[in-house]
mmCIF file of all heavy atoms in Angstrom:
data_model
loop_
_atom_site.group_PDB
_atom_site.id
_atom_site.type_symbol
_atom_site.label_atom_id
_atom_site.label_comp_id
_atom_site.label_asym_id
_atom_site.label_seq_id
_atom_site.Cartn_x
_atom_site.Cartn_y
_atom_site.Cartn_z
ATOM 1 N N ILE A 188 -12.621 -1.539 -35.660
ATOM 2 C CA ILE A 188 -12.175 -2.177 -34.435
ATOM 3 C C ILE A 188 -12.358 -3.683 -34.533
ATOM 4 O O ILE A 188 -13.454 -4.147 -34.850
ATOM 5 C CB ILE A 188 -12.942 -1.610 -33.200
ATOM 6 C CG1 ILE A 188 -12.755 -0.124 -33.050
ATOM 7 C CG2 ILE A 188 -12.544 -2.358 -31.921
ATOM 8 C CD1 ILE A 188 -13.618 0.534 -32.014
ATOM 9 N N ILE A 189 -11.327 -4.440 -34.227
ATOM 10 C CA ILE A 189 -11.417 -5.884 -34.247
ATOM 11 C C ILE A 189 -11.256 -6.491 -32.849
ATOM 12 O O ILE A 189 -11.488 -7.645 -32.634
ATOM 13 C CB ILE A 189 -10.406 -6.537 -35.218
ATOM 14 C CG1 ILE A 189 -9.010 -6.114 -34.908
ATOM 15 C CG2 ILE A 189 -10.779 -6.141 -36.654
ATOM 16 C CD1 ILE A 189 -7.918 -6.792 -35.766
ATOM 17 N N ALA A 190 -10.812 -5.645 -31.874
ATOM 18 C CA ALA A 190 -10.750 -6.099 -30.458
ATOM 19 C C ALA A 190 -10.628 -4.832 -29.637
ATOM 20 O O ALA A 190 -9.909 -3.922 -29.965
ATOM 21 C CB ALA A 190 -9.560 -6.996 -30.260
ATOM 22 N N GLY A 191 -11.383 -4.800 -28.507
ATOM 23 C CA GLY A 191 -11.331 -3.612 -27.674
ATOM 24 C C GLY A 191 -12.453 -3.648 -26.665
ATOM 25 O O GLY A 191 -12.863 -4.696 -26.206
ATOM 26 N N VAL A 192 -12.898 -2.438 -26.300
ATOM 27 C CA VAL A 192 -13.942 -2.334 -25.294
ATOM 28 C C VAL A 192 -15.269 -2.749 -25.897
ATOM 29 O O VAL A 192 -15.657 -2.320 -26.975
ATOM 30 C CB VAL A 192 -14.006 -0.895 -24.711
ATOM 31 C CG1 VAL A 192 -14.296 0.119 -25.800
ATOM 32 C CG2 VAL A 192 -15.063 -0.845 -23.645
ATOM 33 N N ARG A 193 -15.952 -3.649 -25.197
ATOM 34 C CA ARG A 193 -17.186 -4.197 -25.717
ATOM 35 C C ARG A 193 -18.431 -3.566 -25.073
ATOM 36 O O ARG A 193 -18.377 -2.952 -24.032
ATOM 37 C CB ARG A 193 -17.253 -5.748 -25.390
ATOM 38 C CG ARG A 193 -16.180 -6.541 -26.100
ATOM 39 C CD ARG A 193 -16.208 -8.007 -25.663
ATOM 40 N NE ARG A 193 -15.793 -8.195 -24.247
ATOM 41 C CZ ARG A 193 -16.563 -8.577 -23.236
ATOM 42 N NH1 ARG A 193 -17.847 -8.794 -23.437
ATOM 43 N NH2 ARG A 193 -16.071 -8.682 -22.033
ATOM 44 N N ASN A 194 -19.562 -3.742 -25.781
ATOM 45 C CA ASN A 194 -20.875 -3.463 -25.203
ATOM 46 C C ASN A 194 -21.765 -4.602 -25.542
ATOM 47 O O ASN A 194 -21.302 -5.636 -26.022
ATOM 48 C CB ASN A 194 -21.422 -2.094 -25.687
ATOM 49 C CG ASN A 194 -21.505 -2.011 -27.209
ATOM 50 O OD1 ASN A 194 -21.663 -3.039 -27.891
ATOM 51 N ND2 ASN A 194 -21.394 -0.829 -27.796
ATOM 52 N N GLU A 195 -23.048 -4.451 -25.323
ATOM 53 C CA GLU A 195 -23.982 -5.573 -25.539
ATOM 54 C C GLU A 195 -24.075 -6.008 -26.975
ATOM 55 O O GLU A 195 -24.432 -7.171 -27.270
ATOM 56 C CB GLU A 195 -25.380 -5.208 -25.041
ATOM 57 C CG GLU A 195 -25.498 -5.101 -23.518
ATOM 58 C CD GLU A 195 -24.989 -3.773 -22.968
ATOM 59 O OE1 GLU A 195 -24.548 -2.927 -23.803
ATOM 60 O OE2 GLU A 195 -25.038 -3.552 -21.757
ATOM 61 N N SER A 196 -23.723 -5.172 -27.915
ATOM 62 C CA SER A 196 -23.881 -5.515 -29.342
ATOM 63 C C SER A 196 -22.589 -5.591 -30.159
ATOM 64 O O SER A 196 -22.659 -5.880 -31.351
ATOM 65 C CB SER A 196 -24.819 -4.508 -30.011
ATOM 66 O OG SER A 196 -24.296 -3.201 -29.916
ATOM 67 N N GLY A 197 -21.465 -5.301 -29.534
ATOM 68 C CA GLY A 197 -20.215 -5.356 -30.312
ATOM 69 C C GLY A 197 -19.143 -4.559 -29.585
ATOM 70 O O GLY A 197 -18.948 -4.579 -28.383
ATOM 71 N N PHE A 198 -18.383 -3.773 -30.370
ATOM 72 C CA PHE A 198 -17.298 -2.946 -29.892
ATOM 73 C C PHE A 198 -17.695 -1.458 -29.931
ATOM 74 O O PHE A 198 -18.484 -1.076 -30.793
ATOM 75 C CB PHE A 198 -16.031 -3.121 -30.685
ATOM 76 C CG PHE A 198 -15.422 -4.481 -30.654
ATOM 77 C CD1 PHE A 198 -15.328 -5.216 -31.820
ATOM 78 C CD2 PHE A 198 -15.016 -5.046 -29.443
ATOM 79 C CE1 PHE A 198 -14.768 -6.480 -31.780
ATOM 80 C CE2 PHE A 198 -14.482 -6.301 -29.404
ATOM 81 C CZ PHE A 198 -14.367 -7.046 -30.567
ATOM 82 N N GLU A 199 -17.221 -0.698 -29.022
ATOM 83 C CA GLU A 199 -17.347 0.728 -29.055
ATOM 84 C C GLU A 199 -15.995 1.422 -28.929
ATOM 85 O O GLU A 199 -15.059 0.799 -28.439
ATOM 86 C CB GLU A 199 -18.285 1.301 -27.993
ATOM 87 C CG GLU A 199 -17.982 0.934 -26.587
ATOM 88 C CD GLU A 199 -19.033 1.438 -25.616
ATOM 89 O OE1 GLU A 199 -19.296 2.633 -25.611
ATOM 90 O OE2 GLU A 199 -19.665 0.616 -24.871
ATOM 91 N N SER A 200 -15.839 2.641 -29.377
ATOM 92 C CA SER A 200 -14.591 3.338 -29.451
ATOM 93 C C SER A 200 -14.112 3.860 -28.087
ATOM 94 O O SER A 200 -14.815 4.618 -27.434
ATOM 95 C CB SER A 200 -14.681 4.487 -30.456
ATOM 96 O OG SER A 200 -13.580 5.344 -30.311
ATOM 97 N N THR A 201 -12.953 3.445 -27.680
ATOM 98 C CA THR A 201 -12.345 3.934 -26.466
ATOM 99 C C THR A 201 -12.156 5.432 -26.577
ATOM 100 O O THR A 201 -12.386 6.182 -25.576
ATOM 101 C CB THR A 201 -10.997 3.241 -26.155
ATOM 102 O OG1 THR A 201 -11.284 1.833 -25.895
ATOM 103 C CG2 THR A 201 -10.338 3.855 -24.963
ATOM 104 N N GLU A 202 -11.689 5.895 -27.721
ATOM 105 C CA GLU A 202 -11.473 7.328 -27.887
ATOM 106 C C GLU A 202 -12.755 8.128 -27.731
ATOM 107 O O GLU A 202 -12.795 9.214 -27.128
ATOM 108 C CB GLU A 202 -10.836 7.597 -29.269
ATOM 109 C CG GLU A 202 -9.413 7.076 -29.379
ATOM 110 C CD GLU A 202 -8.796 7.399 -30.721
ATOM 111 O OE1 GLU A 202 -9.492 7.497 -31.704
ATOM 112 O OE2 GLU A 202 -7.515 7.535 -30.730
ATOM 113 N N GLU A 203 -13.901 7.595 -28.241
ATOM 114 C CA GLU A 203 -15.152 8.259 -28.122
ATOM 115 C C GLU A 203 -15.646 8.284 -26.655
ATOM 116 O O GLU A 203 -16.234 9.281 -26.247
ATOM 117 C CB GLU A 203 -16.194 7.586 -29.025
ATOM 118 C CG GLU A 203 -17.511 8.382 -29.101
ATOM 119 C CD GLU A 203 -17.385 9.753 -29.646
ATOM 120 O OE1 GLU A 203 -16.423 10.054 -30.383
ATOM 121 O OE2 GLU A 203 -18.246 10.609 -29.295
ATOM 122 N N ILE A 204 -15.364 7.244 -25.949
ATOM 123 C CA ILE A 204 -15.758 7.209 -24.545
ATOM 124 C C ILE A 204 -15.000 8.317 -23.782
ATOM 125 O O ILE A 204 -15.571 9.010 -22.933
ATOM 126 C CB ILE A 204 -15.460 5.844 -23.929
ATOM 127 C CG1 ILE A 204 -16.382 4.770 -24.534
ATOM 128 C CG2 ILE A 204 -15.618 5.852 -22.378
ATOM 129 C CD1 ILE A 204 -16.073 3.350 -24.112
ATOM 130 N N PHE A 205 -13.743 8.513 -24.084
ATOM 131 C CA PHE A 205 -12.995 9.610 -23.468
ATOM 132 C C PHE A 205 -13.607 10.971 -23.822
ATOM 133 O O PHE A 205 -13.763 11.870 -22.976
ATOM 134 C CB PHE A 205 -11.557 9.594 -23.956
ATOM 135 C CG PHE A 205 -10.634 8.747 -23.090
ATOM 136 C CD1 PHE A 205 -10.137 7.561 -23.598
ATOM 137 C CD2 PHE A 205 -10.241 9.135 -21.846
ATOM 138 C CE1 PHE A 205 -9.265 6.769 -22.812
ATOM 139 C CE2 PHE A 205 -9.405 8.377 -21.065
ATOM 140 C CZ PHE A 205 -8.950 7.183 -21.547
ATOM 141 N N ARG A 206 -14.045 11.111 -25.076
ATOM 142 C CA ARG A 206 -14.637 12.382 -25.466
ATOM 143 C C ARG A 206 -15.943 12.662 -24.760
ATOM 144 O O ARG A 206 -16.199 13.759 -24.245
ATOM 145 C CB ARG A 206 -14.831 12.369 -26.986
ATOM 146 C CG ARG A 206 -13.553 12.337 -27.831
ATOM 147 C CD ARG A 206 -13.872 12.494 -29.313
ATOM 148 N NE ARG A 206 -12.711 12.278 -30.141
ATOM 149 C CZ ARG A 206 -12.444 11.201 -30.813
ATOM 150 N NH1 ARG A 206 -13.302 10.179 -30.802
ATOM 151 N NH2 ARG A 206 -11.324 11.065 -31.553
ATOM 152 N N VAL A 207 -16.757 11.658 -24.695
ATOM 153 C CA VAL A 207 -18.087 11.864 -24.063
ATOM 154 C C VAL A 207 -17.941 12.064 -22.574
ATOM 155 O O VAL A 207 -18.690 12.919 -21.986
ATOM 156 C CB VAL A 207 -18.956 10.580 -24.299
ATOM 157 C CG1 VAL A 207 -20.259 10.656 -23.478
ATOM 158 C CG2 VAL A 207 -19.308 10.443 -25.794
ATOM 159 N N ASN A 208 -16.994 11.468 -21.960
ATOM 160 C CA ASN A 208 -16.801 11.580 -20.504
ATOM 161 C C ASN A 208 -15.577 12.445 -20.160
ATOM 162 O O ASN A 208 -14.748 12.106 -19.383
ATOM 163 C CB ASN A 208 -16.654 10.215 -19.868
ATOM 164 C CG ASN A 208 -17.856 9.321 -20.094
ATOM 165 O OD1 ASN A 208 -18.876 9.434 -19.414
ATOM 166 N ND2 ASN A 208 -17.730 8.402 -21.054
ATOM 167 N N TYR A 209 -15.518 13.576 -20.863
ATOM 168 C CA TYR A 209 -14.298 14.369 -20.840
ATOM 169 C C TYR A 209 -13.945 14.933 -19.446
ATOM 170 O O TYR A 209 -12.819 15.317 -19.160
ATOM 171 C CB TYR A 209 -14.332 15.539 -21.855
ATOM 172 C CG TYR A 209 -15.391 16.579 -21.517
ATOM 173 C CD1 TYR A 209 -15.079 17.699 -20.822
ATOM 174 C CD2 TYR A 209 -16.732 16.403 -21.992
ATOM 175 C CE1 TYR A 209 -16.045 18.699 -20.579
ATOM 176 C CE2 TYR A 209 -17.673 17.354 -21.718
ATOM 177 C CZ TYR A 209 -17.347 18.519 -21.014
ATOM 178 O OH TYR A 209 -18.322 19.450 -20.736
ATOM 179 N N LYS A 210 -14.953 14.992 -18.562
ATOM 180 C CA LYS A 210 -14.734 15.515 -17.231
ATOM 181 C C LYS A 210 -14.246 14.470 -16.238
ATOM 182 O O LYS A 210 -13.778 14.735 -15.143
ATOM 183 C CB LYS A 210 -15.950 16.192 -16.665
ATOM 184 C CG LYS A 210 -16.333 17.467 -17.368
ATOM 185 C CD LYS A 210 -17.499 18.155 -16.695
ATOM 186 C CE LYS A 210 -17.845 19.475 -17.377
ATOM 187 N NZ LYS A 210 -18.994 20.138 -16.693
#
Side-chain angles (χ1 to χ4, degrees):
I188 299 173
I189 56 175
V192 59
R193 296 176 290 112
N194 56 28
E195 290 80 0
S196 59
F198 297 119
E199 55 184 303
S200 167
T201 295
E202 291 182 331
E203 187 60 26
I204 292 174
F205 271 109
R206 294 187 187 101
V207 172
N208 301 280
Y209 67 94
K210 290 185 178 181

